[in-house]
Amino acid sequence: ALLMIGGEFDLSAGVMIGTTGLLIGLLIGELGFGIWTAMLASLAFALAIGMANGLLVIKTGLPSFIVTLGTFFVLRGANLGFTKLITNTVRVSGIDQAGGYGVARALLASTFWPPHNFRISVLWWIGLTGIATWVLLRTRVGNWIFSAGGDPVAARSVGVPVARTKVALFMTTASAAWLVGVMTVLRLRSAQASEGVGQEFEFIIAAVVGGTLLTGGFGSTIGAAFGALIMGMATIGIPFAGWNTDWRWLFMGVVLLLAVLLNNYVRRKAQEARR
């Protein structure tokens, strides 16, 4: 959501979830890393990819959609190729044998409130949403994000570091994907080469449903959080209702179209009111 408010997209965020998980597994299984060292190394890798995406977008002037789509295919191919080359499978396991695994799992992938057993990732989701909301609404960086997405030319003219802001947003998105990848690999004790593939569009849909404009410059992380909640309820609720899971994609498509139409209507009315 922050990246979209800043006027950019990242289609590599979904596959980055699998990449970071695989990297953690390979570092543990092949090089004997502890869980924390492997997690830090994978975070550094994710930040490097995010920085590369941002710099390519800024330096070349190419649409972020195209740049990150290229990164998506590169990472997807690397996930499959390197994992098969090293392990002869598309799966890495044995992560729970690493030193420090128990503490890491307790902090990032455990459950709470028995007998309901909610995942602790819910608390991380609420906490990070609150932090992002505070940054957007209460800090100078938040003003930079809105202005960089709304009108980058005008923003530069008043001293906003648009380039640095956008690169930082790409790195933030990459670190968020890393966190999801870490939580997934700690919970499942293994990593799949296909993990996260296809979820990048769900991220965009969640942000749009939450009120973020595709053109940038407007939106909120709280709205995106509610959008993600709606998408999650559909993903889980449709199978529980006994429906064919293929209907989930129909639901996502309809919701996306309705959200885009509603967002466009609200923006047009706001522009008319300013006149």
Side-chain angles (χ1 to χ4, degrees):
L2 291 176
L3 183 62
M4 287 179 63
I5 293 170
E8 305 294 346
F9 296 91
D10 189 350
L11 294 185
S12 66
V15 73
M16 181 68 74
I17 295 173
T19 301
T20 52
L22 288 171
L23 182 58
I24 291 172
L26 291 174
L27 290 174
I28 291 171
E30 303 299 323
L31 300 178
F33 278 36
I35 190 68
W36 294 104
T37 308
M39 285 166 56
L40 288 175
S42 66
L43 174 60
F45 177 81
L47 291 173
I49 295 297
M51 179 181 289
N53 280 336
L55 290 175
L56 278 172
V57 170
I58 297 300
K59 298 297 183 181
T60 64
L62 292 171
S64 57
F65 186 94
I66 298 299
V67 171
T68 58
L69 182 61
T71 305
F72 164 83
F73 285 115
V74 169
L75 292 178
R76 185 176 182 180
N79 288 354
L80 288 168
F82 282 110
T83 305
K84 284 185 177 180
L85 180 66
I86 297 172
T87 68
N88 291 321
T89 68
V90 295
R91 181 174 177 269
V92 178
S93 58
I95 293 167
D96 55 342
Q97 303 302 314
Y101 172 81
V103 176
R105 180 180 172 86
L107 291 174
L108 297 166
S110 60
T111 58
F112 66 98
W113 196 2
H116 304 288
N117 292 330
F118 291 106
R119 292 179 187 170
I120 199 169
S121 57
V122 173
L123 299 181
W124 282 93
W125 171 54
I126 295 172
L128 291 174
T129 300
I131 292 172
T133 299
W134 177 78
V135 170
L136 273 179
L137 302 180
R138 299 293 183 180
T139 69
R140 181 170 58 179
V141 174
N143 290 330
W144 290 350
I145 294 172
F146 281 117
S147 57
D151 191 340
V153 175
R156 290 190 190 94
S157 67
V158 296
V160 174
V162 174
R164 280 186 295 162
T165 299
K166 293 197 174 189
V167 171
L169 288 174
F170 276 104
M171 295 175 70
T172 301
T173 301
S175 63
W178 165 83
L179 180 59
V180 176
V182 168
M183 289 178 173
T184 302
V185 80
L186 289 174
R187 177 169 57 88
L188 300 179
R189 297 180 172 86
S190 63
Q192 296 279 353
S194 60
E195 186 70 42
V197 174
Q199 292 184 353
E200 53 281 337
F201 291 108
E202 295 182 26
F203 303 156
I204 294 174
I205 293 171
V208 172
V209 170
T212 302
L213 293 180
L214 290 171
T215 52
F218 183 84
S220 71
T221 51
I222 293 178
F226 278 107
L229 182 62
I230 293 171
M231 303 309 296
M233 290 173 64
T235 301
I236 297 173
I238 288 176
F240 266 85
W243 296 359
N244 189 320
T245 55
D246 293 337
W247 290 109
R248 178 168 68 97
W249 301 107
L250 174 64
F251 173 82
M252 287 186 179
V254 171
V255 168
L256 176 61
L257 288 173
L258 291 176
V260 170
L261 292 173
L262 179 60
N263 289 349
N264 187 58
Y265 173 79
V266 171
R267 182 181 62 173
R268 187 170 66 250
K269 290 296 181 181
Q271 290 175 343
E272 292 175 355
R274 291 195 190 106
R275 295 172 188 159

